[in-house]
Amino acid sequence: MANQTNNNDIKETNQTSGFGKAIEFCKKNVRYIAVAGLFVVLVIVLTRGIGGQSDNTAEPPATYETETVALETEIVTDETYEQDAYPEVNDLVKKYYKAYAKGNTKKISKLLKPISDAQKSYISRFSEYVEEYQNISCYTKKGPEENSFIASVYADMKFKDVDTVAPGLETFYIRTDNEKGTLYIDNAYTLYNERMKEHEVDESVSEFLDAFNKQEDVVALQTSVWEKYESALASDENLKKVVEQTVPDAMADWATEQVVAARKAEEEKAAEEEAAKKAAEEEAAKKAEEEKKAAEQAAAVTVYAIDNVNVRSEPSETAEILGKLEIGSQTTRLEEKDGWSRVDYNNGTQGYVKSEYLSTEQPSAQQEPTPSEDTSSDDSAPKYYAEGEVITLSQTVNVRKSMSEDAEKIAVAFEGEQVTVVFSYAEGWTKVNYGDKTGFIKTELLH
């Protein structure tokens, strides 16, 4: 039946079958999708209840001393079924089985609520083997809520290319949609959801259904259908093969596909989450940097060097020297802390200068640099010369167009001649005026 299991599934003894292999496979992959229990609801079934007994036993439901009669006759007990007494219930159930046989999940979604994508996929695959459901009959009792019913539904399942039908019994909890005033099957209380645990259940309803499944006429009906089911399988080897091998193996393949798809979806979700996290971190870092720059710009102060002073990579007198600020040179102070100023040096390159050698007021005139700990040079640091300083050459040197030994030579300055310093660069070159020409000489040659 639509959401039921066959006799072979109930026994669960042949662990070498496609069914057994599928169970083991799914148990190993339970973190991806709870399909292990689904194989107990593959084909047909004499369910022992939706919320009640579901101990998978090979024995049929226990019989009582009350009389069990043919399906065409209503079973009479103290609390009787009403057979086909509610046209709206029969109409709902028939529409449901018709849609189920066709794999019409869009139609089923209106009759069975709620329903997951996994169950829709299951129905689509299962319906490939079903031709139709015949001889549908509803054995109905009032449910625990107003305008609700519990229906034990009998139907003969006709498999494709199989002559003999397979009798089955399925129990539904049918409720009324208060907004639309129409009936629907509550999927939370189907055997499918009992195994898959996709939807939450109301414990009070489950207890009601549990009690229902222990009623004598319910068990008697199950026993009667069980006997018909066993007889059908015994009479047709083709039916037995479809029920016990063909469909379980096909649904095992379906479950494998579901596990693979679930794993892929989980991996894709994890990748998306990681990408989103990374993007958020990058955006936060970018925003923080922009805020930092904005704050620096707001606090930036124009300062002037009041002496020839070193620009260092860190706020320490032993840090690498990046260059030098000449007396009167203008720069932007971004931050001042612990006696050091962080400055914007050389168009974006930042460095540190001792604050005592900087002033917000421009010096009125050039003055001789005052020797101090951080204005002096050391043997390992590049040599620098002050702007306007006149140097007498102690050797003949080339004057080049740019700061490179491969650059074009624009002049040759001879020993004893003089050049005037324009600016000394950290790259080891000094820009000079030599006669009417302006070019570059390697700083180490200017002594």
Side-chain angles (χ1 to χ4, degrees), residues 45-315:
V45 145
L46 294 181
T47 158
R48 301 188 100 191
I50 37 185
Q53 304 175 53
S54 56
D55 54 334
N56 301 315
T57 170
E59 297 302 322
T63 58
Y64 289 79
E65 294 181 359
T66 54
E67 181 183 6
T68 302
V69 295
L71 289 174
E72 291 75 12
T73 305
E74 181 177 339
I75 297 173
V76 180
T77 63
D78 293 339
E79 195 173 346
T80 61
Y81 276 122
E82 294 183 274
Q83 183 178 358
D84 299 327
Y86 300 92
E88 64 273 27
V89 171
N90 280 53
D91 182 59
L92 169 68
V93 170
K94 289 178 179 179
K95 287 180 179 178
Y96 169 76
Y97 280 119
K98 182 177 180 180
Y100 210 109
K102 294 180 178 295
N104 187 345
T105 55
K106 183 176 181 181
K107 178 67 173 179
I108 291 174
S109 298
K110 298 177 181 179
L111 308 173
L112 181 72
K113 305 175 185 179
I115 185 170
S116 66
D117 289 339
Q119 188 172 2
K120 290 178 182 178
S121 174
Y122 170 80
I123 293 170
S124 296
R125 181 65 58 84
F126 188 85
S127 66
E128 294 176 6
Y129 299 89
V130 180
E131 184 174 309
E132 63 177 343
Y133 293 90
Q134 304 172 353
N135 304 319
I136 298 170
S137 186
C138 299
Y139 295 81
T140 309
K141 294 187 180 185
K142 291 293 183 67
E145 300 176 322
E146 185 178 359
N147 298 321
S148 68
F149 304 90
I150 301 177
S152 293
V153 181
Y154 173 86
D156 290 322
M157 177 186 290
K158 174 67 170 66
F159 285 102
K160 295 176 180 177
D161 301 321
V162 178
D163 295 332
T164 305
V165 297
L169 191 70
E170 186 167 8
T171 305
F172 292 129
Y173 178 40
I174 298 174
R175 307 174 71 177
T176 299
D177 185 327
N178 293 327
E179 292 184 3
K180 298 180 179 179
T182 56
L183 296 179
Y184 69 95
I185 300 169
D186 192 332
N187 198 22
Y189 304 97
T190 59
L191 188 56
Y192 179 94
N193 191 58
E194 180 185 332
R195 307 300 181 182
M196 293 295 288
K197 309 297 184 186
E198 290 183 342
H199 313 295
E200 293 184 4
V201 299
D202 185 323
E203 288 302 322
S204 63
V205 175
S206 294
E207 290 173 3
F208 185 94
L209 295 171
D210 191 21
F212 166 86
N213 288 308
K214 296 174 183 178
Q215 293 173 9
E216 292 185 3
D217 56 346
V218 174
V219 177
L221 179 60
Q222 292 175 356
T223 302
S224 179
V225 178
W226 178 286
E227 292 170 354
K228 291 192 65 174
Y229 168 76
E230 290 283 277
S231 177
L233 261 61
S235 68
D236 192 329
E237 285 297 323
N238 193 17
L239 173 62
K240 185 178 179 66
K241 180 180 179 181
V242 168
V243 165
E244 296 184 353
Q245 181 178 338
T246 304
V247 175
D249 286 352
M251 299 313 292
D253 292 340
W254 170 84
T256 301
E257 295 167 9
Q258 292 299 299
V259 171
V260 172
R263 183 187 292 116
K264 181 179 179 181
E266 183 178 89
E267 292 172 350
E268 290 177 348
K269 181 180 179 181
E272 290 175 359
E273 290 175 348
E274 183 63 27
K277 180 181 178 182
K278 184 177 180 180
E281 290 174 349
E282 291 176 350
E283 182 63 26
K286 181 180 178 182
K287 184 177 180 181
E289 183 64 24
E290 291 174 349
E291 290 176 349
K292 179 182 177 182
K293 289 182 178 180
E296 288 178 347
Q297 291 299 321
V301 177
T302 299
V303 292
Y304 303 89
I306 60 175
D307 204 337
N308 294 339
V309 62
N310 294 324
V311 180
R312 297 183 180 271
S313 61
E314 299 291 340

Side-chain angles (χ1 to χ4, degrees), residues 359-370:
S359 173
T360 56
E361 297 182 4
Q362 186 174 13
S364 57
Q366 292 272 340
Q367 61 184 38
E368 289 296 322
T370 303

